[in-house]
Amino acid sequence: MARVAIVTGGTRGIGEAISLALKDAGMTVAANYGGDDAKAKAFTERTGIAAYKWNVGDHQACLDGVKQVEADLGPVDVVVNNAGITRDGTLMKMTYEAWDEVIRVNLGGCFNMAKATFAGMRSRGFGRVVNIGSINGQAGQYGQVNYAAAKSGIHGFTKALAQEGAKFGITVNAIAPGYIDTDMVAAVPADVLEKIVAKIPAGRLGQASEIARGVVFLTGDDAGFVNGSTLSINGGQHMY
Ligand code: CAA
């Protein structure tokens, strides 16, 4: 039986590349999305991957969403917590709402999805959780106290949950992408982005497929001894 994987934020950007790569690796994939119905529909038509709408920042919505995926596709073996948003601004300008929303979606989403799937993984003796952190959670980033805190939190969450899952055949790992060629990075002001790219030893932005490659590795049946690790994929921008 093919393993069933959920990729949150799985219809666009890095998430889309992950959904496609896990499908190519032989998994049955459910791509969660939070907002854009038209883009999700186009994604399903293009890829044949089912898309499911819920907000990962909403605890009950995650419980209900996973229940629906399991009813449609079977028990979930693999969760990739990829959904993330930015609400950049210096602390002086950042509203409480911009802080709260980013923490709730980016970090809370990992908790919510783990709560929805961990018991099943434990009972079946197998699970793979991959949390998408960020170089900006490792190194910090001017204008991102919310995002950097959430992503940094993801790295701690990963190491704690890895210890809880290990004896049940569940691994929990993180990937820390650098600056990847996606809509999120395209939203960074051009002059700021230019300065960032100048600091990447590879001399370019990363590709979403280069993150997906890491996810395929970490979710493989043969990756059971890789646990609690963070794989940095950032063109050498930050060596952690
Ligand atoms: N270090 C030091 N100072 C900086 C700075 C930096 N990196 N960036 C900006 N500043 C300074 C500016 O020089 C300016 O100083 P003065 O007032 O003395 O001239 C001051 O901060 C204000 O800068 P801005 O005019 O740019 O202020 P703003 O409020 O309009 O915007 C900002 C601030 C929102 C932080 C904007 O600079 C920005 O969007 N920066 C990019 C943040 C970023 O990299 N986000 C990553 C998004 S992609 C992502 O998150 C994916 C991932 O995981 C990698």
Side-chain angles (χ1 to χ4, degrees):
M1 270 276 281
R3 299 228 177 262
V4 174
I6 297 180
V7 182
T8 68
T11 64
R12 295 174 51 200
I14 292 174
E16 171 168 7
I18 295 170
S19 295
L20 284 168
L22 293 184
K23 183 184 177 209
D24 284 351
M27 296 187 197
T28 303
V29 179
N32 152 268
Y33 71 102
D36 196 326
D37 293 321
K39 281 205 175 124
K41 190 161 175 279
F43 163 85
T44 297
E45 282 165 7
R46 202 167 57 243
T47 63
I49 296 172
Y52 292 82
K53 186 175 188 175
W54 72 82
N55 173 4
V56 296
D58 178 334
H59 186 72
Q60 189 59 45
C62 287
L63 300 181
D64 295 343
V66 168
K67 217 177 255 175
Q68 186 61 54
V69 169
E70 296 203 316
D72 294 348
L73 307 178
V76 173
D77 306 305
V78 175
V79 173
V80 183
N81 286 310
N82 164 76
I85 57 171
T86 51
R87 298 287 181 267
D88 292 355
T90 55
L91 179 77
M92 293 300 285
K93 291 185 189 162
M94 190 177 289
T95 61
Y96 177 74
E97 287 68 33
W99 163 264
D100 186 52
E101 197 181 355
V102 168
I103 298 292
R104 196 153 27 84
V105 171
N106 295 13
L107 181 56
C110 294
F111 174 82
N112 295 337
M113 288 302 295
K115 284 293 280 185
T117 54
F118 210 67
M121 290 176 179
R122 268 176 57 132
S123 69
R124 292 185 300 277
F126 180 88
R128 296 281 181 267
V129 179
V130 179
N131 301 316
I132 304 299
S134 168
I135 187 173
N136 293 348
Q138 297 170 311
Q141 169 62 42
Y142 191 102
Q144 283 200 311
V145 292
N146 50 4
Y147 187 88
K151 292 295 188 178
S152 190
I154 283 177
H155 295 300
F157 175 87
T158 298
K159 290 182 237 182
L161 192 60
Q163 295 177 34
E164 296 184 21
K167 63 175 177 283
F168 301 101
I170 303 169
T171 66
V172 185
N173 292 285
I175 291 181
Y179 281 73
I180 308 300
D181 190 7
T182 59
D183 290 348
M184 183 184 275
V185 167
V188 174
D191 56 323
V192 177
L193 189 57
E194 202 176 304
K195 285 187 197 135
I196 290 170
V197 175
K199 287 188 189 142
I200 304 174
R204 63 171 176 87
L205 296 175
Q207 293 301 311
S209 59
E210 294 175 300
I211 304 303
R213 185 99 177 83
V215 176
V216 170
F217 166 64
L218 291 171
T219 54
D221 277 25
D222 54 0
F225 206 56
V226 186
N227 199 14
S229 71
T230 296
L231 178 58
S232 296
I233 305 180
N234 62 30
Q237 188 183 351
H238 180 68
M239 300 183 187
Y240 187 69

